[in-house]
Amino acid sequence: MHKIWFKTTNKLYIWSLLTKPHPDYSRFIRLDIMGAKNVPDVINEHRIIMDMIDRRDSSGVKDLITKHLYGGVRRLGSKLFSDEYKNYFQAKE
């Protein structure tokens, strides 16, 4: 779905940047999936987005996309620097 979105909006360059290997981001996504158990949340957001597209309803799209893009931070933000996850990320010097 994401690649189609970037292609349709003529932003494939950004898609290529996002899909390059980024170990910290990949680790964050895996933690979000496993730790926050985000799959139902993300699938529901995708369904709502697709429904809005099907209905050509642009009201609330900006808020929904923002919620979707920051979902991992919303779910894991308070945990990222906790003892539970501190060894997953290293500070860049």
Side-chain angles (χ1 to χ4, degrees):
M1 177 175 165
H2 294 136
K3 184 175 182 180
I4 293 168
W5 190 284
F6 281 95
K7 183 177 181 180
T8 301
T9 58
N10 208 21
K11 306 274 192 259
L12 275 177
Y13 176 73
I14 295 172
W15 175 253
S16 69
L17 290 175
L18 291 172
T19 56
K20 283 184 180 179
H22 300 282
D24 284 338
Y25 183 68
S26 297
R27 192 173 300 114
F28 175 80
I29 296 300
R30 283 191 299 278
L31 283 174
D32 187 25
I33 291 169
M34 301 303 290
K37 298 171 181 51
N38 79 347
V39 174
D41 189 31
V42 171
I43 289 173
N44 187 52
E45 289 171 0
H46 285 163
R47 282 187 183 124
I48 294 168
I49 292 167
M50 292 305 298
D51 181 58
M52 292 175 88
I53 291 169
D54 287 344
R55 291 184 289 112
R56 299 181 185 273
D57 178 7
S58 61
S59 65
V61 168
K62 183 177 178 182
D63 291 338
L64 181 58
I65 296 297
T66 299
K67 178 184 178 199
H68 180 65
L69 292 176
Y70 288 98
V73 173
R74 187 180 69 247
R75 288 182 292 267
L76 287 178
S78 63
K79 297 179 181 179
L80 286 179
F81 300 105
S82 70
D83 288 341
E84 182 179 2
Y85 295 126
K86 70 179 179 183
N87 293 324
Y88 285 87
F89 302 94
Q90 295 179 352
K92 306 275 190 245
E93 295 183 26

